[in-house]
Amino acid sequence: MKSKAGTDTEFFRTEKIPKILLQIAPPVMLAQLIQAMYNIVDSFFVGKYSESALTALSVIYPLQLIIIALAVGTGVGVNTYMARLYAQKMPGQAEETAGTGTLLALGTWFIFAIFSIFCMRPYVLTSANTPEAIESAVIYGQIVCIGSIGAFLEGNWTKVHQSRGNMHRPMVAQTVGALTNIVLDPILIFGLGPVPELGVAGAAYATVCGQVAAAVITSFGGVGRLPERTKMPLYIKQIYWFGYASIIMQALFTVYIVILNAILAGFSDSAVTVLGLYYKMQTFFFIPLMGLQTCIVPVLSFNYATKSYARCREIMRDSYGFSLCVYAGRCDAASFFFPVAAAPGFFQRAVRSSRSEKLHSLSSGSSFIPAVFSLMTPVFFQAIGNGKISLFLSVMRQICCLIPIFWLLSLIDLRFTWFAFPISEVLVGVTGIVLYYKEIKRDFDKGAT
């Protein structure tokens, strides 16, 4: 099946699962690797400029996660619905879904940008204490939020391409965006040649430029076409039906980071900075898992729409197996390299000053294997249209488990708060597997093909 956009998704139905994953996963993982490296390099340059600027990045990080939640979450809805329409041989409606997603991305960006203008300073005051950190965070936050139009559009258009099995254009876009950001960071932060020194504002402008560059590349073939006005509400309803769980899951991620920042702010600004850097470093090690999450959504959705339930089970089995093999060998590596060897100098000093380096490394490595189940299983439910269970698992992981455990451990000692992460992953991972097997027993075994 090939549409006007050059879509060829029939291999989702016929090709062997390992071959599909090997075909579509590497470009996604490469793009995410470059993105993760950018996060580390970005923190390095900002940390070289000043410690208050580095704290500003950690304070604004939750707002950037909200951007991701709205942009990628809506894109997931577009992705899932388009994959189903392609499976049902309705490419015209799929293209109209893409067009509706573009309109939603623009509208969501406008509302978020206006809201951030008025709420930036009150938000920053909840997570920063020193005047320097507060001012740096306000400046950085306003620039990246108002200029986030590129992030919203790229988040939608990337998912449009992925729904068609095209992982290469998003890879090129994210690579170019990250490299643009990396190149501009030192130029704009420190001021090189005729460019004046902009400090933390320069880091924000570099981020915005990278996002716009990525959006331009994904715009080719990603914009789609708008449906008739009378049909628009139906498309919007379907997009958010398949995407609401992803939006809320990402938003909850922001909520719990804000709460953890508030807990850590009671110790010091350095503790807040360490948490922000922890998530950026964690992203680096979770690349294989996040890449698989991205890839299996359209494949699962396509096969579920064609009632190929046994194939859906095979997709999950292979995904679990691949992830476990990868992370079984990465725990020791994480304990050795993470966070000290790859972290910026300030991160090393901050972790060591809290006397938690060894505990932090241990908890980071021990989080990998249970995270395979706590992160991959919600994607399964999301892809088959059961957003309620996907949302339940995410709320359990990010709100019901992590926050109370983190707070209780902080009462003992700041060093022990890191153990909240592996404990939460284990609890949610076990729950997710139980619900997964109930689902396939109740529904899939009735008519497996």
Side-chain angles (χ1 to χ4, degrees), residues 23 65 206 224:
Q23 179 177 338
L65 292 176

Side-chain angles (χ1 to χ4, degrees), residues 37-108:
M37 291 175 64
Y38 146 69
N39 283 332
I40 297 172
V41 173
D42 187 54
S43 297
F44 173 79
F45 284 125
V46 173
K48 285 286 187 181
Y49 184 77
S50 73
E51 293 185 3
S52 64
L54 192 58
T55 300
L57 262 65
S58 295
V59 171
I60 299 303
Y61 186 53
L63 293 183
Q64 293 176 297
L65 292 176
I66 291 180
I67 294 173
I68 294 173
L70 295 172
V72 177
T74 303
V76 167
V78 171
N79 181 339
T80 307
Y81 189 44
M82 285 183 67
R84 291 198 170 204
L85 291 171
Y86 284 131
Q88 296 164 1
K89 303 186 183 302
M90 294 188 289
Q93 289 90 327
E95 294 305 308
E96 290 181 346
T97 302
T100 304
T102 299
L103 186 63
L104 291 175
L106 290 171
T108 308

